[in-house]
Amino acid sequence: MALLRADGTIQKLNHAGQRILNETSDDGGGLRFDLTHRRDTATPHGLVSWSESRHAKNGAIIELSCRSEPMEGGYSLVFEDVTQRRRRDRRAAAVARIAAELISDRSLSSVLTALAYEILKADGLAGVQILTGDADSGNLRVLGMAGFTSLTGERFLERLMECKQRGARLCMFEVMESSRLAVMPHRYAEVMSDPAWEPMHEVLRFPVWDAFASLPIIVRNQTIGILNLYLAPGLSVDNEDLEFFSTMAVQAGVALDYAALLESERRSAEKAERQRLARDLHDSVVQGAFSMRMQVQALKVLTGSGELLANRKKIDTIAGELEEISGAVLSDLRNLVHRTKPVALIDKGLGAALRTLVASTSRRTGIDVQMRISGELDHLGLPMAEDIYFIVSEAIHNAVKHSSTDRIDVLVNAFESTDSLRIVIKDFGTASNRPTGAGTGDGMSGRGIAFMKQRAKNWNGLLEIVFDEVHGTTVSLEMPSASEEHRWGRA
């Protein structure tokens, strides 16, 4: 409790107040409270409550909850230290927000940068860094940073390795090797006075910090990164602090692990797609080329026998077969090339690429392929556009290959209001043309269908395939968001 003069300076401070404000005299040493809250309130002469922060003599920031009312010659003031309570509230909110970030579709670097800022705000730290990589090789990456506004991840690592070469002790590397946290009081003074750290003096000088803490980021019993914390002057690390920091290190590990799993899925899908392409080449082009080679050898035998006129009919038959086989091989090659490298997609966007696909399919097969596009598609980034293109291409290819249909309808709807996309590809084949192993709903098998589903999953999309014995097959693609920023790993 304190008695304040009219200008807000302390006239009398009790022992509890001295302890909170870290003051040794009962007159408050000239400290002054901000009374603008009283002037701004609608009841300036009654009881007024407010919160304010101030720096204690040891440099720590104290958060106070204050209540005052007027008295003769000044004000009476009751205040309490709510620093720890507010810090716990901020920490709980930070954990909740980061949990929401982890289930969102933002990129890994965006999530970890957000995590770094949440730690910074929750505890009033000077700086936070999240690094991954291998300490032995020096192959590190800064994926999240907050507090050092003039410092980039690349610049930090470059100068850090220079300090290491000059003999500086890098305790963060020790943490990665030992998988045990490290807390170093007054590390700022040590770093700034050590010539080995000279390359980092400029970038670590501001904002001013004091102690340094480094925690391992552990995933599946393996340390894959570190969480570095630069504590503001006056802050110390207690068990409650370490519990919060450890929780955030675990959250960072979850984000890193999730990103690694997505990357593994992507590589598996790419490998499977290469295997599928090799199988398609073998089933069509390679077999056709082998048949052509056998026919050419037969021609050589017939023309080398000296009886050309007698073998004329056989030669004409083989020549006709060669022409038919070579045409089929050329058609298959064109189809494979068009499916693997849609030039129109790169040059003109998704809408033009789909129109080219539909037109070329109609010319090659004689099937009436009709498409209607509603909404804008060309704003989509290339990675998402590629996945959408190949889903439509595969669906049309399956209809041509496995169906006796004479018509294929493609309906594309881009909804600007919800930033979503819906595509339906429908053929009119009958049950007799049902592909081997096909089922209904999501049960259809086959690698091509698996690739389609994986491409949809890349963007949190949903692919459904329904086979109807009377009305043919319907492929439906739902994209909840047509924006690339809604996917992990696309930063």
Side-chain angles (χ1 to χ4, degrees):
M1 182 175 176
L3 300 179
L4 306 181
R5 298 182 178 90
D7 63 355
T9 56
I10 295 177
Q11 182 177 359
K12 189 75 171 179
L13 185 65
N14 69 1
H15 291 296
Q18 293 175 41
R19 187 173 61 255
I20 291 174
L21 299 178
N22 197 22
E23 286 293 331
T24 57
S25 61
D26 62 0
D27 62 359
L31 286 180
R32 182 176 180 274
F33 277 82
D34 185 4
L35 297 180
T36 56
H37 307 279
R38 298 203 59 86
R39 290 193 294 271
D40 293 341
T41 185
T43 56
H45 302 295
L47 181 67
V48 175
S49 300
W50 75 93
S51 297
E52 68 175 67
S53 300
R54 60 174 59 245
H55 284 85
K57 286 185 177 180
N58 63 356
I61 296 178
I62 306 172
E63 296 182 59
L64 302 175
S65 175
C66 306
R67 299 186 306 277
S68 76
E69 58 182 340
M71 56 176 290
E72 186 177 352
Y75 302 91
S76 65
L77 173 70
V78 176
F79 61 94
E80 62 176 323
D81 184 353
V82 294
T83 306
Q84 292 301 323
R85 186 196 312 166
R86 298 279 172 81
R87 184 176 297 173
R88 282 193 291 269
D89 292 344
R90 287 194 297 269
R91 287 174 172 177
V95 172
R97 282 191 292 266
I98 289 302
E101 290 283 350
L102 290 176
I103 61 174
S104 72
D105 302 313
R106 295 178 60 185
S107 69
L108 176 62
S109 60
S110 296
V111 170
L112 293 182
T113 296
L115 189 149
Y117 273 104
E118 289 294 347
I119 300 173
L120 189 80
K121 291 186 297 182
D123 268 51
L125 303 180
V128 179
Q129 294 165 337
I130 300 171
L131 295 85
T132 63
D134 181 14
D136 292 333
S137 64
N139 183 24
L140 293 172
R141 288 189 302 157
V142 178
L143 292 182
M145 181 180 293
F148 298 104
T149 56
S150 63
L151 183 61
T152 64
E154 183 178 347
R155 187 182 178 201
F156 172 82
L157 291 175
E158 179 183 327
R159 298 198 176 192
L160 185 67
M161 298 313 296
E162 188 178 344
C163 292
K164 182 182 179 184
Q165 293 172 359
R166 294 164 65 113
R169 179 191 174 191
L170 276 58
C171 71
M172 68 182 72
F173 283 15
E174 298 171 6
V175 170
M176 290 196 74
E177 292 168 359
S178 67
S179 299
R180 300 180 64 180
L181 70 89
V183 179
M184 306 185 70
H186 313 303
R187 182 61 169 162
Y188 180 86
E190 292 178 6
V191 168
M192 292 303 165
S193 62
D194 188 348
W197 281 96
E198 192 277 331
M200 293 290 286
H201 286 172
E202 177 188 349
V203 295
L204 290 181
R205 192 178 306 278
F206 298 105
V208 175
W209 49 280
D210 182 25
F212 173 79
S214 186
L215 288 81
I217 298 174
I218 301 174
V219 174
R220 305 179 195 279
N221 298 318
Q222 181 180 0
T223 298
I224 62 171
I226 46 177
L227 172 62
N228 288 337
L229 308 165
Y230 299 80
L231 279 70
L235 290 182
S236 58
V237 179
D238 57 22
N239 290 334
E240 189 175 334
D241 296 327
L242 290 177
E243 183 179 350
F244 171 66
F245 298 149
S246 297
T247 298
M248 299 308 264
V250 169
Q251 299 279 44
V254 171
L256 289 166
D257 190 37
Y258 184 38
L261 289 174
L262 285 180
E263 179 66 14
S264 176
E265 281 191 16
R266 184 187 64 79
R267 290 179 179 175
S268 296
E270 289 177 351
K271 180 180 179 181
E273 194 154 356
R274 287 194 297 269
Q275 292 173 342
R276 173 177 171 274
L277 179 58
R279 187 195 68 232
D280 287 349
L281 283 168
H282 177 270
D283 291 347
S284 56
V285 178
V286 174
Q287 291 179 5
F290 179 77
S291 297
M292 290 170 63
R293 181 181 180 188
M294 296 297 293
Q295 298 286 41
V296 168
Q297 289 177 346
L299 280 178
K300 287 182 179 179
V301 171
L302 292 175
T303 56
S305 65
E307 301 179 0
L308 291 178
L309 292 178
N311 294 325
R312 176 66 181 272
K313 187 174 181 180
K314 292 181 179 179
I315 292 173
D316 288 344
T317 300
I318 293 174
E321 291 176 352
L322 274 174
E323 183 178 9
E324 183 179 344
I325 294 171
S326 64
V329 168
L330 182 59
S331 176
D332 285 339
L333 274 175
R334 283 174 174 167
N335 186 44
L336 283 169
V337 169
H338 190 74
R339 287 164 59 199
T340 56
K341 191 173 180 61
V343 177
L345 180 61
I346 300 173
D347 292 344
K348 298 181 180 180
L350 179 60
L354 291 177
R355 292 186 183 92
T356 300
L357 171 66
V358 165
S360 64
T361 301
S362 293
R363 286 195 302 269
R364 285 188 297 103
T365 65
I367 297 174
D368 181 22
V369 185
Q370 297 290 332
M371 181 173 68
R372 185 173 77 243
I373 297 178
S374 174
E376 180 61 43
L377 298 178
D378 294 340
H379 70 288
L380 299 177
L382 184 58
M384 175 181 269
E386 282 182 350
D387 282 340
I388 294 172
Y389 176 89
F390 282 116
I391 290 172
V392 176
S393 175
E394 183 67 24
I396 292 176
H397 171 73
N398 287 339
V400 171
K401 185 175 182 180
H402 298 296
S403 171
S404 61
T405 185
D406 58 359
R407 174 181 153 202
I408 300 173
D409 290 344
V410 181
L411 305 177
V412 182
N413 290 300
F415 303 103
E416 184 178 354
S417 59
T418 58
D419 194 24
S420 60
L421 191 68
R422 175 175 170 80
I423 300 177
V424 177
I425 304 98
K426 178 173 178 55
D427 68 52
F428 299 85
T430 60
S432 61
N433 298 290
R434 185 177 185 167
T436 303
T440 59
D442 278 344
M444 290 192 73
S445 61
R447 290 191 176 187
I449 294 170
F451 298 144
M452 294 165 69
K453 289 184 176 181
Q454 179 58 50
R455 289 185 183 276
K457 186 179 178 182
N458 285 345
W459 307 95
N460 289 331
L462 176 65
L463 185 79
E464 292 184 335
I465 304 174
V466 178
F467 184 87
D468 186 285
E469 294 185 356
V470 177
H471 301 102
T473 301
T474 301
V475 178
S476 301
L477 172 65
E478 300 273 359
M479 291 289 200
S481 174
S483 175
E484 271 192 81
E485 65 185 17
H486 292 272
R487 184 197 184 202
W488 281 78
R490 294 288 190 185

